[in-house]
Amino acid sequence: MMNRFRGSVPLVWFAGLALVLCVARPATAIEQCGIASAHELATRAGCEILRSGGNAFDAAVTVAAVLAVVEPFASGIGGGGFFLLHRASDELDVFVDARETAPARASRELLSGQDALEKKLTREGPTAAGIPGEPAALDWVANRYGTLPLTRLLAPAIRLAERGFPADGRYAGATALREGLLRGNVTAASIFLDQGKAVQTGFVLIQPMLARTLRMLAEQGGRAFYEGNFARDLTNAVNSAGGLWELSDLENYRVIERQPLRFTYRGAAITTAPLPSSGGLVLAQSLFILEPVHRADMPASDRMHFAAEAMRRGYHDRARYMGDPGFVEVPVHQLASRDYARNRGASIDPARATLSTDLAQAAEEGQDTTHFSIIDNQGNRVAATLSVNGPFGSGFVAGNTGVLLNNHMDDFAHHSGAPNMYKLIGGRANVVEPGKRPLSSMTPTFVEDDRGVLVLGTPGGSRIISMILHSVLTYLERGQIDLPGLVAAPRFHHQYLPDRIEIEPESFPDSLIEELRARGHTVEISRRKWGNMQIVFQDKKGRVEIANDPRGQRGVLF
């Protein structure tokens, strides 16, 4: 039986884990390292890689792997994500697409309709899981851009999975939120819960099966996940529980390198996510709509009104046009053009909200996600956003692999007019097809101006794009750089449908909310705050500063 503890953790039991548990080390040690992640153990492991001679890409592999162990509710090798890379030696910018793909047996007919909705086929259990991309991405980034072997880069994650670590408030909160889901799978419950119950802070999470799988990846490389005996075991475990995978789905999975989306805004060069992330196109259109607007001279209600109207139009085009570019033709040049954005912005009434139903017909996506940002002393940088979609993904651990699978099949459009778990509405361009990658909102981003470079991103499902938008606007509109202010600023969001401005609780005065309502906006106050933004800034002299979102530090999940 595994050793598990509630409450305080007996440190004697953790002999040999001094590095991992040195939480009293001053924060400046991390700040000087140039890594901002959602968990201190991941940041420290990445910093050790940099200090031992690795570059930002090596550190990214280590940070991602450790986050897979310590934040299983947010990301993992059973999920996927995106890595935005900048290599300083030749100024190469590249977007590594490790998004999940739909199994060959997945179809709109099978995963849509009232019966599928009632059974939650795209949200819970093995039918909800797309083919994972993160194992392939770790191998890809390490071998093409890193300098250290996978055995070194995955060692910290393997050690943490084998020996365990004390759960923090975010992990405890996630188990409370998803206790019912996890109890639906015996293996998941035995790993992530405490005798079938949500855990308390300090609970020791030990994952020996995941450690074994990570060691296999370290020794044999990423393809070991997708081919041979392990892939057969994985496929059999999924299908014996009612899943849809074929061995060929794993064998055919490949990482795709894409050109990032690049544009300029008010003197800054912005490099961000291309399709199948909708983030870059919605960000570009929203910024271009706002470019002629003199926001600095406006009262807060006007700034919020124009930003909401810009987001409304950007998310509307997300719904109408965007999907996996390998399957649908998306008018990218039109959607990313200033002329098109300004034509769309011309319909904004400064005094009244536009009804989303007046814009035209529809279509739309995930959260428990994680983000980290890295800059090394050579100027290499990484912005990576990784996800299993909902908290603890599908809630299904595949056999004895220790791999908790995603539920990103919910990011496809399955049923006309039916929202997914983030209340986004799906359309034709994002309909499920074998091998297709679902549309995403993950938006890892670089912003470069005459002050330096900002590397940022956040989890938050459909709200990711609005959070990046607000941060870019604030960074470029203010002369003084205030990273803690950027990550802590109150947040609001509009995603076309539902037709409302959503705001964080206790973030804006009642008078401002009433002004927005007087313009015709529906304003809804969220039950929780959202996002967990991670920022690194490097100035022109090479000095580095980081900022971690206080929402994550306080144990807030959303």
Side-chain angles (χ1 to χ4, degrees):
M1 178 175 286
M2 298 178 195
N3 289 310
R4 298 269 170 89
F5 300 92
R6 286 187 179 274
S8 60
V9 181
L11 294 181
V12 173
W13 192 81
F14 286 95
L17 287 184
L19 170 65
V20 169
L21 290 176
C22 57
V23 295
R25 187 184 294 181
T28 52
I30 294 177
E31 291 169 6
Q32 292 170 356
C33 166
I35 298 177
S37 87
H39 201 290
E40 185 174 18
L41 296 180
T43 299
R44 293 199 184 286
C47 288
E48 289 301 318
I49 291 296
L50 292 181
R51 293 188 185 109
S52 63
N55 62 22
F57 314 121
D58 292 312
V61 173
T62 296
V63 171
V66 170
L67 288 172
V69 174
V70 300
E71 281 192 329
F73 56 85
S75 69
I77 63 170
F82 302 129
F83 292 75
L84 179 62
L85 312 180
H86 172 82
R87 188 169 61 196
S89 61
D90 57 0
E91 298 297 313
L92 172 73
D93 290 320
V94 66
F95 185 80
V96 177
D97 176 357
R99 184 69 159 151
E100 299 88 343
T101 57
R105 287 198 288 142
S107 68
R108 189 179 189 188
E109 291 71 29
L110 180 65
L111 298 174
S112 65
Q114 196 58 40
D115 186 56
L117 291 174
E118 289 175 0
K119 292 180 180 178
K120 300 181 180 179
L121 293 183
T122 65
R123 299 185 185 182
E124 299 181 5
T127 54
I131 305 303
E134 185 165 331
L138 298 180
D139 184 278
W140 185 277
V141 172
N143 283 307
R144 284 163 177 76
Y145 301 100
T147 61
L148 300 178
L150 266 178
T151 50
R152 172 70 180 92
L153 300 180
L154 298 189
I158 295 168
R159 188 166 58 242
L160 282 164
E162 280 182 333
R163 302 180 184 179
F165 64 96
D168 61 12
R170 292 179 67 230
Y171 180 85
T175 63
L177 184 70
R178 301 291 268 176
E179 180 182 314
L181 172 72
L182 294 171
R183 288 173 65 180
N185 178 249
V186 173
T187 307
S190 69
I191 297 170
F192 301 115
L193 299 178
D194 186 357
Q195 298 180 2
K197 301 290 186 182
V199 312
Q200 302 295 316
T201 302
F203 169 86
V204 177
L205 177 61
I206 306 171
Q207 303 170 80
M209 293 185 293
L210 179 61
R212 189 167 60 244
T213 296
L214 287 169
R215 182 171 285 108
M216 176 196 72
L217 295 177
E219 295 173 354
Q220 300 178 34
R223 291 311 301 172
F225 186 94
Y226 300 91
E227 299 171 351
N229 292 334
F230 182 86
R232 274 189 289 274
D233 291 344
L234 196 61
T235 302
N236 290 338
V238 169
N239 291 337
S240 64
L244 304 171
W245 290 15
E246 304 277 4
L247 182 59
S248 58
D249 293 324
L250 287 160
E251 291 173 340
N252 293 333
Y253 186 87
R254 295 292 185 273
V255 161
I256 298 176
E257 285 203 348
R258 304 185 188 274
Q259 285 292 321
L261 181 66
R262 298 185 185 88
F263 59 93
T264 59
Y265 177 78
R266 296 193 173 178
I270 297 175
T271 306
T272 188
L275 293 169
S277 172
S278 62
L281 285 173
V282 175
L283 178 66
Q285 184 178 144
S286 300
L287 287 170
F288 292 162
I289 288 173
L290 294 171
E291 196 166 32
V293 178
H294 301 290
R295 285 169 41 89
D297 303 326
M298 289 180 168
S301 60
D302 285 346
R303 290 197 301 272
M304 288 182 71
H305 169 72
F306 275 96
E309 291 299 319
M311 287 186 278
R312 184 197 306 275
R313 286 155 176 80
Y315 277 88
H316 176 229
D317 278 349
R318 180 194 197 279
R320 293 195 292 174
Y321 299 120
M322 297 183 202
D324 184 342
F327 287 76
V328 294
E329 191 167 337
V330 181
V332 172
H333 294 298
Q334 172 186 317
L335 297 176
S337 75
R338 278 181 164 80
D339 288 343
Y340 177 77
R342 287 174 180 172
N343 285 335
R344 296 228 72 194
S347 63
I348 296 175
D349 183 338
R352 294 293 300 173
T354 307
L355 291 176
S356 288
T357 52
D358 289 345
L359 289 180
Q361 68 271 53
E364 312 178 43
E365 160 225 35
Q367 154 132 346
D368 265 73
T369 296
T370 194
H371 178 88
F372 59 86
S373 299
I374 300 177
I375 299 179
D376 66 19
N377 59 14
Q378 302 166 49
N380 301 308
R381 53 186 185 262
V382 179
T385 311
L386 308 170
S387 182
V388 291
N389 200 25
F392 288 103
S394 66
F396 179 82
V397 174
N400 63 0
T401 66
V403 177
L404 176 68
L405 297 178
N406 66 87
N407 63 345
H408 269 121
M409 294 302 291
D410 192 54
D411 281 352
F412 284 111
H414 297 290
H415 181 63
S416 180
N420 72 1
M421 64 194 304
Y422 298 99
K423 298 184 173 62
L424 285 165
I425 307 300
R428 208 173 313 162
N430 193 34
V431 166
V432 63
E433 297 179 59
K436 191 175 185 180
R437 298 175 188 231
L439 196 59
S440 173
S441 291
M442 294 184 283
T443 317
T445 299
F446 303 149
V447 181
E448 299 176 75
D449 64 1
D450 56 10
R451 297 171 293 177
V453 60
L454 193 70
V455 180
L456 75 161
T458 181
S462 59
R463 305 181 187 112
I464 289 173
I465 307 167
S466 61
M467 286 186 272
I468 300 297
L469 172 67
H470 299 323
S471 295
V472 171
L473 286 169
T474 302
Y475 171 76
L476 294 177
E477 289 174 355
R478 294 181 183 173
Q480 183 178 2
I481 296 173
D482 176 14
L483 297 192
L486 282 183
V487 295
R491 291 167 180 163
F492 66 96
H493 172 70
H494 200 299
Q495 62 181 43
Y496 168 59
L497 290 175
D499 190 351
R500 68 188 184 200
I501 295 176
E502 188 177 8
I503 67 171
E504 290 185 313
E506 302 173 354
S507 296
F508 297 95
D510 291 343
S511 58
L512 179 56
I513 294 171
E514 289 310 312
E515 286 183 55
L516 292 169
R517 286 174 173 157
R519 294 175 188 238
H521 290 287
T522 297
V523 181
E524 180 175 294
I525 300 172
S526 175
R527 290 182 295 117
R528 300 181 182 92
K529 296 196 173 186
W530 62 76
N532 193 6
M533 186 170 286
Q534 306 298 326
I535 291 180
V536 178
F537 173 75
Q538 185 177 55
D539 68 17
K540 293 295 186 179
K541 296 181 179 179
R543 292 174 297 203
V544 171
E545 181 183 354
I546 75 161
N548 306 110
D549 198 323
R551 294 162 181 81
Q553 295 165 4
R554 288 196 294 263
V556 177
L557 184 61
F558 293 100

mmCIF file of all heavy atoms in Angstrom, residues 377-394:
data_model
loop_
_atom_site.group_PDB
_atom_site.id
_atom_site.type_symbol
_atom_site.label_atom_id
_atom_site.label_comp_id
_atom_site.label_asym_id
_atom_site.label_seq_id
_atom_site.Cartn_x
_atom_site.Cartn_y
_atom_site.Cartn_z
ATOM 1 N N ASN A 377 19.787 32.912 -20.754
ATOM 2 C CA ASN A 377 20.766 33.998 -20.864
ATOM 3 C C ASN A 377 21.338 34.155 -22.268
ATOM 4 O O ASN A 377 22.109 35.068 -22.529
ATOM 5 C CB ASN A 377 21.893 33.819 -19.839
ATOM 6 C CG ASN A 377 22.631 32.504 -19.996
ATOM 7 O OD1 ASN A 377 22.491 31.820 -21.006
ATOM 8 N ND2 ASN A 377 23.418 32.150 -18.986
ATOM 9 N N GLN A 378 20.950 33.264 -23.193
ATOM 10 C CA GLN A 378 21.341 33.426 -24.597
ATOM 11 C C GLN A 378 20.270 34.158 -25.409
ATOM 12 O O GLN A 378 20.480 34.466 -26.583
ATOM 13 C CB GLN A 378 21.567 32.042 -25.230
ATOM 14 C CG GLN A 378 22.626 31.199 -24.533
ATOM 15 C CD GLN A 378 22.565 29.747 -24.977
ATOM 16 O OE1 GLN A 378 22.528 29.457 -26.181
ATOM 17 N NE2 GLN A 378 22.535 28.826 -24.037
ATOM 18 N N GLY A 379 19.120 34.392 -24.792
ATOM 19 C CA GLY A 379 18.020 35.042 -25.494
ATOM 20 C C GLY A 379 17.029 34.073 -26.121
ATOM 21 O O GLY A 379 16.072 34.501 -26.776
ATOM 22 N N ASN A 380 17.247 32.756 -25.947
ATOM 23 C CA ASN A 380 16.235 31.789 -26.378
ATOM 24 C C ASN A 380 15.006 31.941 -25.495
ATOM 25 O O ASN A 380 15.127 32.248 -24.301
ATOM 26 C CB ASN A 380 16.763 30.362 -26.245
ATOM 27 C CG ASN A 380 18.014 30.117 -27.052
ATOM 28 O OD1 ASN A 380 18.052 30.394 -28.243
ATOM 29 N ND2 ASN A 380 19.058 29.614 -26.401
ATOM 30 N N ARG A 381 13.842 31.696 -26.064
ATOM 31 C CA ARG A 381 12.646 31.822 -25.240
ATOM 32 C C ARG A 381 11.565 30.829 -25.664
ATOM 33 O O ARG A 381 11.513 30.386 -26.806
ATOM 34 C CB ARG A 381 12.092 33.245 -25.262
ATOM 35 C CG ARG A 381 11.834 33.855 -26.621
ATOM 36 C CD ARG A 381 11.421 35.324 -26.452
ATOM 37 N NE ARG A 381 11.041 35.945 -27.705
ATOM 38 C CZ ARG A 381 11.831 36.711 -28.446
ATOM 39 N NH1 ARG A 381 13.054 36.959 -28.037
ATOM 40 N NH2 ARG A 381 11.390 37.235 -29.576
ATOM 41 N N VAL A 382 10.715 30.506 -24.683
ATOM 42 C CA VAL A 382 9.629 29.553 -24.879
ATOM 43 C C VAL A 382 8.394 30.085 -24.174
ATOM 44 O O VAL A 382 8.457 30.526 -23.026
ATOM 45 C CB VAL A 382 9.977 28.162 -24.291
ATOM 46 C CG1 VAL A 382 8.811 27.192 -24.495
ATOM 47 C CG2 VAL A 382 11.255 27.612 -24.898
ATOM 48 N N ALA A 383 7.266 30.044 -24.882
ATOM 49 C CA ALA A 383 5.958 30.229 -24.260
ATOM 50 C C ALA A 383 5.170 28.967 -24.578
ATOM 51 O O ALA A 383 4.947 28.653 -25.753
ATOM 52 C CB ALA A 383 5.249 31.460 -24.812
ATOM 53 N N ALA A 384 4.781 28.229 -23.558
ATOM 54 C CA ALA A 384 4.127 26.935 -23.777
ATOM 55 C C ALA A 384 2.831 26.866 -22.987
ATOM 56 O O ALA A 384 2.806 27.159 -21.787
ATOM 57 C CB ALA A 384 5.052 25.794 -23.368
ATOM 58 N N THR A 385 1.772 26.469 -23.663
ATOM 59 C CA THR A 385 0.483 26.258 -23.022
ATOM 60 C C THR A 385 0.070 24.819 -23.283
ATOM 61 O O THR A 385 -0.005 24.381 -24.428
ATOM 62 C CB THR A 385 -0.584 27.222 -23.564
ATOM 63 O OG1 THR A 385 -0.064 28.569 -23.550
ATOM 64 C CG2 THR A 385 -1.832 27.191 -22.698
ATOM 65 N N LEU A 386 -0.174 24.076 -22.195
ATOM 66 C CA LEU A 386 -0.439 22.640 -22.257
ATOM 67 C C LEU A 386 -1.727 22.338 -21.520
ATOM 68 O O LEU A 386 -2.077 23.031 -20.558
ATOM 69 C CB LEU A 386 0.720 21.865 -21.623
ATOM 70 C CG LEU A 386 2.121 22.214 -22.140
ATOM 71 C CD1 LEU A 386 3.193 21.571 -21.280
ATOM 72 C CD2 LEU A 386 2.283 21.781 -23.590
ATOM 73 N N SER A 387 -2.428 21.265 -21.927
ATOM 74 C CA SER A 387 -3.756 21.072 -21.372
ATOM 75 C C SER A 387 -4.219 19.627 -21.441
ATOM 76 O O SER A 387 -3.819 18.868 -22.329
ATOM 77 C CB SER A 387 -4.760 21.952 -22.134
ATOM 78 O OG SER A 387 -6.061 21.835 -21.594
ATOM 79 N N VAL A 388 -5.100 19.273 -20.487
ATOM 80 C CA VAL A 388 -5.924 18.070 -20.602
ATOM 81 C C VAL A 388 -7.391 18.460 -20.765
ATOM 82 O O VAL A 388 -8.272 17.623 -20.713
ATOM 83 C CB VAL A 388 -5.750 17.124 -19.389
ATOM 84 C CG1 VAL A 388 -4.371 16.498 -19.376
ATOM 85 C CG2 VAL A 388 -6.053 17.836 -18.073
ATOM 86 N N ASN A 389 -7.655 19.747 -20.925
ATOM 87 C CA ASN A 389 -8.970 20.373 -21.087
ATOM 88 C C ASN A 389 -9.632 20.594 -19.741
ATOM 89 O O ASN A 389 -9.195 21.440 -18.985
ATOM 90 C CB ASN A 389 -9.871 19.599 -22.046
ATOM 91 C CG ASN A 389 -10.997 20.469 -22.581
ATOM 92 O OD1 ASN A 389 -10.872 21.692 -22.634
ATOM 93 N ND2 ASN A 389 -12.098 19.864 -22.973
ATOM 94 N N GLY A 390 -10.692 19.869 -19.408
ATOM 95 C CA GLY A 390 -11.343 20.075 -18.115
ATOM 96 C C GLY A 390 -10.459 19.602 -16.978
ATOM 97 O O GLY A 390 -9.492 18.861 -17.186
ATOM 98 N N PRO A 391 -10.753 19.998 -15.738
ATOM 99 C CA PRO A 391 -9.959 19.534 -14.598
ATOM 100 C C PRO A 391 -9.899 18.006 -14.550
ATOM 101 O O PRO A 391 -10.921 17.338 -14.553
ATOM 102 C CB PRO A 391 -10.708 20.094 -13.390
ATOM 103 C CG PRO A 391 -11.444 21.288 -13.921
ATOM 104 C CD PRO A 391 -11.834 20.910 -15.324
ATOM 105 N N PHE A 392 -8.671 17.458 -14.560
ATOM 106 C CA PHE A 392 -8.416 16.022 -14.622
ATOM 107 C C PHE A 392 -8.933 15.403 -15.918
ATOM 108 O O PHE A 392 -9.144 14.196 -16.004
ATOM 109 C CB PHE A 392 -9.005 15.288 -13.413
ATOM 110 C CG PHE A 392 -8.254 15.544 -12.124
ATOM 111 C CD1 PHE A 392 -8.758 16.415 -11.172
ATOM 112 C CD2 PHE A 392 -7.048 14.914 -11.883
ATOM 113 C CE1 PHE A 392 -8.072 16.658 -9.992
ATOM 114 C CE2 PHE A 392 -6.351 15.138 -10.692
ATOM 115 C CZ PHE A 392 -6.864 16.022 -9.750
ATOM 116 N N GLY A 393 -9.111 16.211 -16.957
ATOM 117 C CA GLY A 393 -9.459 15.707 -18.277
ATOM 118 C C GLY A 393 -10.656 14.791 -18.274
ATOM 119 O O GLY A 393 -11.720 15.122 -17.730
ATOM 120 N N SER A 394 -10.492 13.607 -18.860
ATOM 121 C CA SER A 394 -11.585 12.642 -18.965
ATOM 122 C C SER A 394 -11.837 11.897 -17.657
ATOM 123 O O SER A 394 -12.831 11.177 -17.531
ATOM 124 C CB SER A 394 -11.272 11.621 -20.055
ATOM 125 O OG SER A 394 -10.146 10.834 -19.679
#
